Amino acid sequence: YGNRLDWAAKIPMIEDLLDSIARPTAYRRFFDENTARTTAYVAFLSLIFVAATAVSIKLRLAPLFNETFEWLQTQVPPIEFKDAIAISPSTVPLRLQHPRIKDIAFMIDTHRRDVVTSTEMAQAQVIAYLTEDSLYLQRLPGQIEKMNIPKSEPGKSYRLDQVAYKNLERAFNWIFYPSLLLFIFVAFASSMAVAGLAYAVALTAIGTLWPLRGTFGQQISLAIHAQS
């Protein structure tokens, strides 16, 4: 790729990335590279992948989650849970549907005590149905699970309203996104390590038939850089 960029040469990981892509002769150096630098290179590539994933999440998933929480805050009436019953200001059955994901819809009818059947839920096209004393969830088509509303402590109640959904959104943003990016980082780094290990194992097996130069760790280093 021509003369190496001066600024890239000052950053070892960028230097390794450019060399692994465009300088085949650099693999002689990678062959003798120490474990610490190879590990740092895996972490560097993982960070690049995480950064790209973060942009994708920001463009694709974040708007969907933001829209969902806005829908909960503006369209879902407040619900209070007290003494094993649900209380809502709605006096008639209220069907709520997600503005974007049409398959997500639920019914609120806190004045009902009758058992809800799978046929009723199918006709209403909802996956959840809240009555005065129970929550019905559709697990599979034609199969529903009934969950009784738990009793609260004497004199206490729990309320789902705009403030609660706002706090839930704040907690979700603080927990979900960092956890997801950490998982992606670990998964990507692990996949690179496993691929390098598999390559080294294959070469070791070949080495039993034809002598090969290099240790097991050196073969892993080559495989990791080759994945760039």
Side-chain angles (χ1 to χ4, degrees), residues 12 14-15 27 32 57 70 85 105 112 119 135 154 178 185 210:
I14 295 181
E15 177 188 18
Y27 282 84
D32 296 320
I57 291 174
E70 182 180 358
I85 64 172
R112 173 174 179 162
T119 301
L135 174 64
F185 176 88
W210 296 281

Side-chain angles (χ1 to χ4, degrees), residues 14-226:
I14 295 181
E15 177 188 18
D16 285 357
L17 176 60
L18 296 177
D19 285 349
S20 66
I21 295 173
R23 290 188 63 205
T25 57
Y27 282 84
R28 297 191 184 96
R29 174 169 62 83
F30 299 150
F31 192 76
D32 296 320
E33 192 171 77
N34 60 56
T35 303
R37 180 154 175 167
T38 301
T39 303
Y41 183 69
V42 172
F44 174 71
L45 291 184
S46 300
L47 287 174
I48 292 177
F49 186 77
V50 166
T53 304
V55 173
S56 177
I57 291 174
K58 180 67 176 178
L59 295 176
R60 294 176 179 273
L61 288 183
L64 174 61
F65 292 141
N66 293 338
E67 186 176 359
T68 298
F69 282 111
E70 182 180 358
W71 170 62
L72 291 172
Q73 294 171 42
T74 58
Q75 301 299 319
V76 179
I79 304 172
E80 184 177 6
F81 299 93
K82 182 179 181 181
D83 298 329
I85 64 172
I87 305 171
S88 170
S90 178
T91 57
V92 296
L94 178 63
R95 184 181 184 275
L96 296 166
Q97 185 177 46
H98 192 280
R100 186 181 300 188
I101 308 176
K102 303 305 181 183
D103 290 337
I104 297 181
F106 58 91
M107 187 80 76
I108 298 176
D109 187 1
T110 55
H111 293 276
R112 173 174 179 162
R113 275 189 171 270
D114 297 337
V115 174
V116 177
T117 66
S118 59
T119 301
E120 287 180 289
M121 292 187 65
Q123 291 175 345
Q125 296 182 331
V126 295
I127 60 174
Y129 201 120
L130 177 65
T131 64
E132 184 181 58
D133 59 355
S134 302
L135 174 64
Y136 297 82
L137 298 175
Q138 179 180 299
R139 297 300 187 184
L140 295 172
Q143 298 182 10
I144 60 174
E145 178 182 352
K146 178 183 177 182
M147 302 173 61
N148 294 326
I149 297 175
K151 291 184 178 181
S152 58
E153 297 181 15
K156 288 189 176 181
S157 63
Y158 302 93
R159 186 178 177 86
L160 280 178
D161 55 13
Q162 184 177 8
V163 175
Y165 292 127
K166 190 66 178 178
N167 292 334
L168 180 62
E169 179 182 16
R170 189 178 297 110
F172 178 86
N173 291 336
W174 274 99
I175 297 174
F176 175 77
Y177 292 114
S179 299
L180 178 60
L181 293 179
L182 177 61
F183 171 79
I184 292 173
F185 176 88
V186 173
F188 184 86
S190 299
S191 66
M192 287 197 67
V194 169
L197 181 63
Y199 174 84
V201 169
L203 284 184
T204 300
I206 294 174
T208 60
L209 302 175
W210 296 281
L212 295 174
R213 176 176 173 264
T215 65
F216 188 76
Q218 288 173 323
Q219 302 295 347
I220 292 178
S221 179
L222 283 180
I224 286 177
H225 285 85

